[in-house]
Amino acid sequence: MNNLLDSWTAGQGPVVRVGAAEGVLAALREAIQNGQIPVGTKLESESMLAQRFGVSRTMVREALRSLASLGLTSTKTGKGTFVVSDQVINDLRLGKYSARQLLEARPHIEIPAAGLAAQRRTEEDLQGLREILEAMAVEDELQQWVALNSEFHARIARASGNGVFATMQADIEDAMAKQSQTLNQVIDRREESGVEHAAILAAIERGSADEATLAMMLHLQGVEHTLESVTAPQSAPIRA
């Protein structure tokens, strides 16, 4: 297997900033799905992959986490990371909760929370939401953008004035962050999210519960469509 990996990585130059983690993920995912790195292969160490791609170990670690979320690899403590499938699973692994569970639960938490936030938000809430979106608009590093995204949704839940929504939002925050990280490494929708977030904030600023719930619903639908695109079955590779 080492010879196979050597032959594949020999042509892999430094990853241009897509960002870096996105580039590593795309290269490894493509190689796994087209059979260049077959199921059963043990991937090289983080340090070796970082050297191969010319990126930091942190970027490699983020890419490997996303590969695992996609169901393509599995890490065994003390043994390394192995390719376990050449097709993305239809329900991403996100730690405590799966993508399907988030998909089913988020509309029941975030849509009503946005409506209540429009009715109950304070000027402090609005200023906090504005500052988050301003920071997201200029943030290039995906990991930091994901953290700001989590805080945006958490701030809306807290602005609802309903502790149940705030607690539920906090409970799914880690799974949401993992999903956002993985989806945006595969299909970068940060620009679209920015537009959707701005619409949510504008509705909350106007104090319109109806508009806020609609804006949040459309945002969650956008996430759902991206998830469907990422997990859609791909044609089997043609082998000579």
Side-chain angles (χ1 to χ4, degrees):
M1 289 299 183
N2 285 337
N3 290 337
L4 182 149
L5 283 176
D6 286 343
S7 64
W8 174 74
T9 55
Q12 300 297 317
V15 173
V16 295
R17 182 169 178 78
V18 184
E22 291 93 311
V24 173
L25 173 62
L28 289 173
R29 181 188 179 189
E30 180 181 4
I32 290 170
Q33 292 192 284
N34 68 21
Q36 287 179 280
I37 303 180
V39 172
T41 302
K42 177 182 177 180
L43 297 184
E44 293 175 311
S45 66
E46 288 180 4
S47 58
M48 182 60 71
L49 287 171
Q51 181 178 343
R52 296 276 194 188
F53 286 104
V55 301
S56 70
R57 288 184 63 180
T58 299
M59 296 298 100
V60 170
R61 192 173 301 120
E62 288 180 18
L64 292 179
R65 285 172 182 164
S66 292
L67 282 177
S69 294
L70 293 169
L72 298 175
T73 64
S74 177
T75 300
K76 300 178 181 178
T77 304
K79 295 184 178 180
T81 298
F82 296 82
V83 177
V84 295
S85 176
D86 60 5
Q87 290 296 317
V88 172
I89 55 176
N90 60 15
D91 192 14
L92 303 190
R93 300 166 181 165
L94 305 170
K96 185 176 180 180
Y97 300 115
S98 72
R100 181 179 295 113
Q101 289 173 323
L102 287 183
L103 197 64
E104 293 171 348
R106 289 183 68 184
H108 300 287
I109 302 170
E110 299 193 69
I111 292 176
L116 288 175
Q119 298 173 324
R120 300 173 177 175
R121 82 288 188 276
T122 65
E123 185 54 43
E124 181 182 358
D125 291 326
L126 292 176
Q127 185 58 32
L129 289 168
R130 293 186 195 108
E131 291 175 356
I132 292 169
L133 290 194
E134 288 171 2
M136 293 177 75
V138 297
E139 180 56 64
D140 291 328
E141 183 57 53
L142 177 57
Q143 192 169 21
Q144 293 303 314
W145 186 93
V146 167
L148 289 166
N149 179 65
S150 295
E151 179 55 26
F152 179 77
H153 287 271
R155 188 76 187 235
I156 290 174
R158 295 196 298 270
S160 75
N162 186 312
V164 175
F165 286 138
T167 298
M168 294 171 73
Q169 189 70 39
D171 188 55
I172 64 175
E173 183 175 310
D174 182 65
M176 278 180 55
K178 286 183 171 68
Q179 176 174 272
S180 181
Q181 182 93 18
T182 299
L183 294 184
N184 280 289
Q185 282 185 355
V186 178
I187 300 176
D188 191 343
R189 74 177 310 272
R190 280 175 281 183
E191 184 175 345
E192 290 88 341
S193 287
V195 173
E196 293 159 4
H197 287 159
I200 294 168
L201 175 55
I204 292 174
E205 286 178 319
R206 287 192 295 271
S208 173
D210 289 343
E211 291 180 17
T213 56
L214 176 60
M216 182 63 79
M217 181 185 71
L218 292 174
H219 173 53
L220 295 182
Q221 287 178 349
V223 174
E224 180 180 358
H225 292 157
T226 302
L227 179 63
E228 290 173 349
S229 297
V230 169
T231 59
Q234 296 190 0
S235 300
I238 299 174
R239 295 183 174 87

